[in-house]
Amino acid sequence: MTNQTENNTLQEEVTDMREILRQVYEAMSEKGYNPIGQIVGYLLSEDPTYITNYRNARALIRKIDRDELMSELVKNYLELT
């Protein structure tokens, strides 16, 4: 696999994670939850009960590799991407 192909694949994964997080965020907001707090709770504990089943949010967020997501979050926070 070429470096360009690897970069494209990584970018697609990041885009997928971003879209999943948006969908989960929206579902949590619609149900009246604090989506940031609930998502952080899930990321720290991996306890799926932090995430509502509404709009399939719980199943969606479990598709994300937590380590990859946290790595991307830190990179973006530090603006390293």
Side-chain angles (χ1 to χ4, degrees):
M1 195 172 358
T2 66
N3 201 19
Q4 181 65 31
T5 304
E6 289 174 3
N7 287 340
N8 288 342
T9 302
L10 179 60
Q11 187 57 41
E12 288 172 11
E13 289 175 14
V14 169
T15 300
D16 291 345
M17 284 192 294
R18 183 174 285 126
E19 182 57 32
I20 288 170
L21 277 177
R22 283 185 179 138
Q23 290 176 24
V24 169
Y25 182 93
E26 289 171 7
M28 301 289 285
S29 293
E30 286 177 19
K31 291 300 279 183
Y33 297 118
N34 171 357
I36 300 298
Q38 296 297 110
I39 292 169
V40 168
Y42 168 74
L43 290 174
L44 292 174
S45 69
E46 200 173 7
D47 180 355
T49 61
Y50 276 97
I51 308 299
T52 182
N53 274 321
Y54 179 68
R55 291 180 53 193
N56 207 31
R58 188 175 296 165
L60 285 172
I61 203 162
R62 294 187 85 182
K63 292 180 180 181
I64 296 175
D65 181 286
R66 290 182 325 131
D67 291 336
E68 287 180 32
L69 176 57
M70 286 193 262
S71 176
E72 286 301 316
L73 291 171
V74 171
K75 283 184 208 174
N76 279 296
Y77 187 80
L78 296 173
E79 299 178 12
L80 298 175
T81 59

